[in-house]
Amino acid sequence: MSIIHEGSFGAFSATVAPHLQRPAFDSLTQLDHVVEATRAIQPVPLQLRTSKERRGLALKALELHGGFEGILGDLFDEKNEIYFVSWAWDLSGEKPYLYPGDGTSPGEFRLKMTAGSARRLLGAGALLFPPRRVTAGLAARIMLWESDSDVKRLGDTINTVSSAIATSKLSNLLQMIALGTGVSGATVALVAQAAAELAAAIGTVLQANSDDFVDFYEGYYPAEQPWRAGEERHEGASSAITLTRIGG
């Protein structure tokens, strides 16, 4: 269950390309509104908005609610470890940023926890998206899993996830945007579909490692939405996370 409710991909910041501007389009500032209003014009060239400030995101804390035992039986005890995988991106053309990435120590993302416990990470937390000006908006997805794997096997799995992201349709579409091929309503639809397909593919990879799914967090932060540095907490039925907004 996704518990972050920070907009949607359709709420990313965009407007109609300048050469198509009409008075009726002046109030259109997000992807889904622009695409809907200009559906009769094919293709629909869009102009993506960029944030004024640098924006980054980190995972500061993770909590497991006491109800875990009831949901997952006796799965969680003092020997169990939780790990998290995150990928975040915008429409600048940069490839999605994966956590854990190359060189990340397993101790940084494998957390020994019991139901009802919480862990806070040092500093701002685990970096999920490096601070930079974002184009259209920032999308972040975080998966929580329980691991019975040894360090090497988990490391191999993370490498597989990294490869899946690098060769994904989403990464290819973002690269096309970076090459200046333009963004249209059709491109927007393909990006949304590719993002969903990548989430499903990563879930399949992690499940194949015989790990147990815990929770899934999804958030979208439009470039023109106000951005304030600091922590924000999101709570679900089984777990909660605290994110750190960086910059602003």
Side-chain angles (χ1 to χ4, degrees):
M1 178 181 67
S2 174
I3 66 170
I4 293 182
H5 301 288
E6 290 290 339
S8 64
F9 176 66
F12 271 14
S13 303
T15 188
V16 178
H19 69 279
L20 286 177
Q21 276 293 348
R22 304 171 186 172
F25 296 157
D26 289 346
S27 62
L28 303 178
T29 60
Q30 63 184 58
L31 287 176
D32 53 1
H33 293 171
V34 174
V35 172
E36 182 64 28
T38 59
R39 192 175 294 277
I41 307 173
Q42 296 295 334
V44 184
L46 306 179
Q47 181 173 328
L48 304 176
R49 302 290 184 89
T50 301
S51 64
K52 296 179 180 179
E53 67 283 284
R54 296 168 69 246
R55 301 181 177 189
L57 201 64
L59 178 65
K60 176 61 181 178
L62 170 64
E63 304 170 35
L64 300 180
H65 294 336
F68 258 127
E69 296 95 332
I71 297 173
L72 298 175
D74 296 326
L75 179 63
F76 289 89
D77 58 32
E78 70 277 6
K79 296 181 181 179
N80 292 117
E81 294 179 316
I82 301 297
Y83 70 91
F84 55 95
V85 173
S86 167
W87 60 104
W89 47 276
D90 67 351
L91 293 182
S92 65
E94 296 284 342
K95 64 182 180 180
Y97 185 85
L98 171 66
Y99 184 92
D102 294 339
T104 305
S105 167
E108 296 180 53
F109 63 91
R110 282 166 58 109
L111 306 175
K112 187 170 291 188
M113 300 180 68
T114 58
S117 68
R119 290 286 300 272
R120 290 184 67 84
L121 305 180
L122 296 176
L127 187 62
L128 308 183
F129 189 83
R132 67 172 187 246
R133 294 180 66 192
V134 300
T135 300
L138 166 60
R141 298 194 177 202
I142 308 167
M143 283 186 175
L144 306 181
W145 291 76
E146 185 275 334
S147 176
D148 290 322
S149 307
D150 59 32
V151 172
K152 183 182 184 305
R153 184 176 177 185
L154 181 55
D156 291 342
T157 298
I158 298 302
N159 288 336
T160 302
V161 170
S162 179
S163 296
I165 291 175
T167 59
S168 68
K169 187 186 299 183
L170 175 62
S171 292
N172 291 336
L173 286 168
L174 295 180
Q175 185 177 22
M176 287 173 55
I177 293 173
L179 293 174
T181 57
V183 180
S184 67
T187 306
V188 167
L190 289 174
V191 169
Q193 179 182 354
E197 291 174 354
L198 179 57
I202 290 176
T204 299
V205 169
L206 298 177
Q207 192 171 33
N209 198 41
S210 299
D211 292 340
D212 296 292
F213 176 75
V214 176
D215 222 331
F216 177 53
Y217 302 81
E218 181 178 7
Y220 296 92
Y221 302 84
E224 293 193 328
Q225 182 183 73
W227 184 266
R228 297 183 180 87
E231 294 182 4
E232 58 179 47
R233 186 175 185 273
H234 301 279
E235 184 169 351
S238 304
S239 63
I241 61 171
T242 298
L243 299 176
T244 304
R245 293 190 185 198
I246 304 170

